[in-house]
């Protein structure tokens, strides 16, 4: 007995945290469900198939489910902000206008994923997860962004066709977009690029400038209950879905992604407004 106690005292504590606990904390599911995921071979750690009971270092190990990275590092935060008009997306503004960082908690320091113009309203993700920000901002990932826009006049079939098929801007042709007229002067537009003032420039090019532009969806994330100026944390499920959407785009699954999320389909909505 005394020898067993000596041996326990001599052996170092097991390193890292249990994988199923880390996955559960990241919002993948209950510990039991995460155990099942590991057992079914869908989880990898640093590219190698995970095994039951494995321990990981969440700060350094790359954990993935079905090949999609899971953000497991401690201290990562993800906010969904409904940006009002009249707020800049930069971290600081020389003109001392209000910035999006004034609307979310000051610590930990976050940055916006992409940007919305000063006058554009709607959904913006802010995070300190550089990997997600990089994936969502990178053109090859092409995550769908949906906008509701009030335009001047009523675009006819020719203008709508041009918006859908591609418009020549001063930085090149736009990729095809999904465009639906929802009222005489109102369009729902889904683009997969993130060029500067892209939607406004597309509409100017076809002679129907935007009067009001609102982003209503980023990939799988939307929230019609989040009031302008308010934010809420993204759920682990939503963060996972954003990672998955960015992986789809990079893998050439853009057409699939479009088919899976047609304009007008009710996007998944989670959480409540703050
Ligand atoms: N397209 C625009 O023109 N402006 C935005 O803020 C976002 C997309």
């Amino acid at each position: 007995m005394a020898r067993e106690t000596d041996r326990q005292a001599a052996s170092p504590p097991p390193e890292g945290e249990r994988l199923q606990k880390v996955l559960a904390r990241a919002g993948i599911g209950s510990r039991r469900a995460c155990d099942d995921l590991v057992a079914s071979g869908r989880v990898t750690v640093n590219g190698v198939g995970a095994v039951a009971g494995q321990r990981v270092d969440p700060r350094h190990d790359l954990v993935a489910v079905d090949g999609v990275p899971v953000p497991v590092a401690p201290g990562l935060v993800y906010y969904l902000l409904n940006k009002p008009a009249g707020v800049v997306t930069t971290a600081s503004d020389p003109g001392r206008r209000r910035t999006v960082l004034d609307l979310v908690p000051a610590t930990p320091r976050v940055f916006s994923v992409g940007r919305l113009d000063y006058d554009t309203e709607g959904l913006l993700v802010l995070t300190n997860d550089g990997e997600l920000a990089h994936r969502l901002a990178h053109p090859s990932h092409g995550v769908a962004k949906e906008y509701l826009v009030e335009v001047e006049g009523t675009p006819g079939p020719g203008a709508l066709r041009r918006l859908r098929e591609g418009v020549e801007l001063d930085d090149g042709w736009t990729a095809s977009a999904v465009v639906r007229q929802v009222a005489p002067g109102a369009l729902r537009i889904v683009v997969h690029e993130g060029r500067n003032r892209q939607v406004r420039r597309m509409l100017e090019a076809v002679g129907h400038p935007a009067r009001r532009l609102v982003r209503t969806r980023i990939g799988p994330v939307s929230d019609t209950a989040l009031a302008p100026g308010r934010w809420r944390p993204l759920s682990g499920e939503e963060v996972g879905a954003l990672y998955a959407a960015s992986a789809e785009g990079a893998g050439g699954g853009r057409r699939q992604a479009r088919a899976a999320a047609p304009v007008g389909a009710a996007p998944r909505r989670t959480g409540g407004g703050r």
Side-chain angles (χ1 to χ4, degrees):
M1 187 64 190
R3 259 200 225 139
E4 178 63 20
T5 311
D6 289 348
R7 202 165 49 231
Q8 279 173 0
S11 59
E15 279 180 30
E17 278 188 86
R18 281 189 171 274
L19 178 56
Q20 79 270 35
K21 184 176 165 193
V22 168
L23 285 168
R25 193 173 58 220
I28 298 299
S30 66
R31 284 196 199 180
R32 178 70 199 274
C34 294
D35 260 345
D36 292 346
L37 269 184
V38 173
S40 64
R42 294 171 57 192
V43 182
T44 54
V45 178
N46 301 323
V48 177
V51 293
Q54 185 165 348
R55 289 180 174 269
V56 295
D57 176 350
R59 285 164 307 162
H60 298 115
D61 288 330
L62 180 67
V63 178
V65 176
D66 297 333
V68 177
V70 177
V72 293
L76 294 180
V77 295
Y78 304 87
Y79 305 136
L80 182 68
L81 171 71
N82 186 353
K83 175 193 168 308
V87 174
V88 284
T89 307
T90 47
S92 68
D93 182 57
R96 310 190 80 168
R97 292 175 297 181
R98 216 153 51 120
T99 81
V100 290
L101 295 188
D102 295 329
L103 301 176
V104 296
T107 54
R109 189 87 175 148
V110 292
F111 44 87
S112 73
V113 178
R115 61 184 295 283
L116 292 176
D117 302 330
Y118 181 72
D119 286 327
T120 302
E121 303 157 59
L123 300 181
L124 192 67
V125 170
L126 297 109
T127 181
N128 54 358
D129 180 352
E131 174 64 23
L132 181 64
H134 171 75
R135 283 169 160 265
L136 290 178
H138 199 278
S140 70
H141 294 127
V143 171
K145 274 132 334 211
E146 183 177 279
Y147 297 87
L148 196 54
V149 50
E150 286 171 25
V151 298
E152 284 182 19
T154 302
L160 294 176
R161 196 186 62 245
R162 286 180 65 204
L163 290 169
R164 288 183 183 125
E165 293 180 356
V167 175
E168 189 172 19
L169 303 178
D170 53 14
D171 53 357
W173 286 84
T174 59
S176 57
V178 178
V179 180
R180 179 188 278 186
Q181 190 145 35
V182 292
L187 305 177
R188 198 175 283 281
I189 301 184
V190 182
V191 296
H192 289 77
E193 304 165 281
R195 293 197 231 167
N196 191 29
R197 295 177 58 81
Q198 178 170 338
V199 176
R200 290 180 192 277
R201 289 189 295 141
M202 287 167 68
L203 291 163
E204 277 159 21
V206 299
H208 295 277
R211 287 176 197 254
R212 184 175 178 211
L213 182 60
V214 183
R215 182 151 73 190
T216 50
R217 180 167 64 85
I218 304 168
V221 174
S222 63
D223 190 337
T224 52
L226 191 62
R230 300 296 184 138
W231 64 275
R232 67 167 172 85
L234 285 175
S235 67
E237 193 192 3
E238 286 173 312
V239 175
L242 281 172
Y243 264 99
S246 70
E248 269 172 22
R254 181 177 299 185
R255 230 177 290 135
Q256 261 183 358
R258 283 187 187 180
V263 173
R268 193 164 52 87
R269 209 204 122 252
T270 38
R274 269 185 191 220

